[in-house]
């Protein structure tokens, strides 16, 4: 029974992904940025529904930019979950751009790509992010740099936060958690860590009982008198509180 349900969810997801690729190829070029963002948000919400995932939003998502969202990183689902809650432009590793299907969808959603092993590219990305914030955009980053196991958060890297400092833009902490819809207990089914394969993580998620994706927005804040590293440590503690609340 569980495998049959998972197969049905998978078929619906694949059909939805194909629909998304069609929209990107045929309709996006003629749409304004606001309409593109609305399509990405609606598409992401439907993707979650096809996967058996319900979205719950706590706190207040940003209405407008400039703002940088800073969140913990758990799963391949984190990006569609955050897009479903409020469209934002993600900063992602450059490898994603070349991934079949996923790369095309990520690029259409406005993703900014960074070569993380290159210090020069990191400096370029900080400047690109600063310019985006100065245009009033909503950006999102995962300062852990990789997915954690959902039990304890990894340290935050401070480098990309420099863009918010230079643009004098606020940062809004966001706590992410997946929970069993029936019991409310934390669900680790969507986790994607270590040597796990993406296919294996997706299949485990689809086989799981209905899941609730919780996006908990904190209050936007500015650096003030804190340096980048002190601010990063404070944001780490805040995100940790939000994901547990």
């Amino acid at each position: 029974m569980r495998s049959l349900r998972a197969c049905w969810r998978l078929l619906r997801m694949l059909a939805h992904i194909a629909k998304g690729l069609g929209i990107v190829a045929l309709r996006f070029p003629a749409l304004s940025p606001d309409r593109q963002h609305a399509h990405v948000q609606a598409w992401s919400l439907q993707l979650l529904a096809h996967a058996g995932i319900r979205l719950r939003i706590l706190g207040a998502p940003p209405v407008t930019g400039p703002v940088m969202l800073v969140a913990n990183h758990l799963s391949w689902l984190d990006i569609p979950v955050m897009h479903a809650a409020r469209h934002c432009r993600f900063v992602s590793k450059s490898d994603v751009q070349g991934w079949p299907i996923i790369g095309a969808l990520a690029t259409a959603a406005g993703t900014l790509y960074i070569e993380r092993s290159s210090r020069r590219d990191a400096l370029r990305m900080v400047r690109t992010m600063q310019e985006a914030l100065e245009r009033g955009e909503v950006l999102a980053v995962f300062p852990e740099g990789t997915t954690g196991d959902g039990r304890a958060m990894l340290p935050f890297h401070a480098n990309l936060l420099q863009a918010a400092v230079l643009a004098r833009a606020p940062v809004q902490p966001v706590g992410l958690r997946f929970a069993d819809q029936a019991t409310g207990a934390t669900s680790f089914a969507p986790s994607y860590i270590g040597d796990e394969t993406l296919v294996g993580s997706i299949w485990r998620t689809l086989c799981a009982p209905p899941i609730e994706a919780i996006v908990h927005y904190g209050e936007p804040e500015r650096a003030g008198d804190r340096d980048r590293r002190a601010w990063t440590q404070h944001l780490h503690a805040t995100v940790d509180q939000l994901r547990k609340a």
Side-chain angles (χ1 to χ4, degrees):
M1 180 65 179
R2 182 175 297 182
S3 294
L4 288 175
R5 179 179 62 192
C7 287
W8 173 238
R9 288 174 174 174
L10 179 61
L11 289 173
R12 293 173 66 191
M13 282 182 60
L14 291 174
H16 189 62
I17 289 170
K19 176 184 175 182
L21 290 172
I23 292 173
V24 166
L26 301 176
R27 298 186 60 184
F28 258 42
L31 296 177
S32 67
D34 286 346
R35 291 297 300 158
Q36 290 180 0
H37 298 168
H39 271 289
V40 171
Q41 184 170 5
W43 183 90
S44 298
L45 191 58
Q46 291 169 1
L47 180 72
L48 298 182
H50 292 323
I53 298 169
R54 181 175 66 195
L55 178 67
R56 179 154 66 107
I57 299 174
L58 302 176
V63 177
T64 60
V67 64
M68 181 188 294
L69 304 178
V70 169
N72 57 309
H73 200 9
L74 300 166
S75 169
W76 55 276
L77 273 170
D78 293 346
I79 290 178
V81 163
M82 289 188 66
H83 273 319
R86 204 286 182 203
H87 178 270
C88 46
R89 295 187 72 186
F90 278 91
V91 178
S92 180
K93 60 183 181 181
S94 57
D95 303 19
V96 173
Q97 189 172 15
W99 289 358
I101 300 177
I102 294 176
L105 294 173
T107 300
T111 300
L112 302 172
Y113 297 106
I114 179 173
E115 180 58 57
R116 287 180 175 166
S117 62
S118 168
R119 177 174 174 79
R120 179 178 296 179
D121 201 53
L123 294 174
R124 175 195 64 81
M125 180 52 64
V126 167
R127 179 59 181 167
T128 299
M129 292 171 65
Q130 177 189 349
E131 293 170 351
L133 289 169
E134 289 172 346
R135 291 194 300 268
E137 297 188 20
V138 179
L139 303 183
V141 298
F142 297 120
E144 290 170 287
T146 188
T147 50
D149 62 8
R151 293 172 175 83
M153 285 172 50
L154 301 171
F156 277 6
H157 299 288
N159 53 347
L160 295 181
L161 223 60
Q162 183 65 22
V165 174
L166 293 172
R168 297 179 181 174
V171 168
Q172 186 165 7
V174 182
L176 301 179
R177 185 167 77 91
F178 295 99
D180 185 288
Q181 286 188 22
T183 67
T186 297
S187 172
F188 298 103
S191 66
Y192 179 39
I193 58 174
D195 295 330
E196 286 186 302
T197 65
L198 178 59
V199 171
S201 177
I202 291 173
W203 183 250
R204 184 176 60 246
T205 303
L206 298 179
C207 288
I211 294 171
E212 183 173 61
I214 302 166
V215 185
H216 193 171
Y217 292 92
E219 293 296 323
E221 58 180 69
R222 296 179 185 272
D225 295 331
R226 294 170 292 196
D227 63 27
R228 186 181 68 185
R229 295 193 181 279
W231 193 18
T232 300
Q233 291 174 356
H234 171 74
L235 287 166
H236 184 280
T238 304
V239 170
D240 199 23
Q241 292 176 350
L242 290 170
R243 73 186 184 95
K244 295 174 180 176

